[in-house]
Amino acid sequence: MLTLALSKGRIFEDTLPMLARAGITVSGDPESTRKLILPTNRPDVRVVLVRASDVPTYVRYGGADIGVAGLDVLREYFAGSGADGLYLPVDLGIARCRLSVAVRHDFDYAGQVKQGARLRVATKYLHMAREHFATKGVHVDLVKLYGSMELAPLTGLADAIVDLVSTGGTLKANGLIEVEHIMDISARLIVNQAALKTRTALLKPLIDQLRQAAQATEEAAA
């Protein structure tokens, strides 16, 4: 039995067509069931639903053989726990977005940075934010938040936020603007290295099929 770890939401929805290309159909809708283990049309493959930030942990320690996680999650995880035991064979090219710095539309971010001001920044991506501002030589105090990031500048909790941006609609609706692009984000296939060695006959064909699905999706979008 192969166990695939996915998180609910965009990654789950974007992964389904790729699994279908690999001949795998997930039974059940995670939004309408409380079950955390979903069967598929293949008796040797099942899906477990976990928090996005927990996907690398499940794969690394054998709770799942394979998983899909955003580069944002992986970068934060690797900074805190290292990458031992994990193999990242494929950029699936799904769940695309970007990690950016945003501020209130009336906040002079460039001026504050130029003056060497110390900024308070709200984010859940502490490692990546710290690395970004250190590279730029900007002094910051980081405030860890888990959601509703846009509220931080509006309530005076922070001068800026570092968060994922897709269309920018949420920022605009809350009177915020994007002032710096940190990195592009997409979802990656991650594999337990020990499982890859011991279950090669099951895992390698699936990895190859998902790689081909990613390539086909990229070509179709070109």
Side-chain angles (χ1 to χ4, degrees):
M1 173 72 73
L2 285 183
T3 300
L4 167 64
L6 296 176
S7 56
K8 290 183 179 182
R10 187 178 176 189
I11 282 185
F12 182 89
E13 293 166 1
D14 286 2
T15 302
L16 288 183
M18 293 205 158
L19 290 175
R21 284 177 178 265
I24 298 173
T25 303
V26 180
S27 302
D29 179 357
E31 301 302 328
S32 61
T33 181
R34 296 192 178 190
K35 292 182 178 180
L36 298 178
I37 301 178
L38 302 179
T40 72
N41 63 316
R42 281 180 46 176
D44 59 341
V45 179
R46 65 178 181 175
V47 170
V48 294
L49 300 174
V50 301
R51 284 177 63 105
S53 56
D54 289 336
V55 170
T57 302
Y58 269 81
V59 176
R60 181 178 189 177
Y61 293 105
D65 303 292
I66 193 169
V68 177
L71 182 61
D72 55 314
V73 169
L74 294 171
R75 286 287 298 270
E76 285 293 298
Y77 181 84
F78 293 159
S81 305
D84 291 348
L86 292 175
Y87 172 51
L88 280 64
V90 185
D91 178 355
L92 294 172
I94 58 175
R96 289 186 180 277
C97 55
R98 57 193 180 273
L99 186 70
S100 297
V101 181
V103 300
R104 276 199 338 252
H105 68 89
D106 57 353
F107 182 79
D108 184 9
Y109 177 79
Q112 292 293 305
V113 169
K114 187 175 181 180
Q115 293 173 19
R118 190 174 193 91
L119 303 178
R120 184 183 295 167
V121 180
T123 186
K124 68 176 180 178
Y125 302 106
L126 295 180
H127 294 292
M128 286 187 286
R130 185 177 294 113
E131 181 180 293
H132 171 71
F133 290 113
T135 299
K136 291 177 60 68
V138 178
H139 300 289
V140 296
D141 294 317
L142 297 177
V143 179
K144 175 96 177 198
L145 290 181
Y146 293 92
S148 301
M149 214 65 62
E150 296 81 9
L151 274 176
L154 302 180
T155 59
L157 176 64
D159 301 305
I161 62 173
V162 169
D163 201 14
L164 296 181
V165 178
S166 183
T167 64
T170 303
L171 293 179
K172 185 176 181 180
N174 287 282
L176 304 183
I177 57 173
E178 202 173 346
V179 291
E180 278 179 355
H181 171 275
I182 298 177
M183 70 174 65
D184 291 320
I185 301 293
S186 59
R188 312 299 168 99
L189 189 68
I190 59 175
V191 183
N192 178 285
Q193 287 184 338
L196 185 58
K197 292 178 181 178
T198 59
R199 315 183 75 183
T200 305
L202 283 174
L203 274 171
K204 192 175 184 307
L206 178 57
I207 293 170
D208 290 342
Q209 289 169 329
L210 291 175
R211 180 182 288 110
Q212 292 168 7
Q215 291 172 346
T217 301
E218 184 177 354
E219 291 171 0

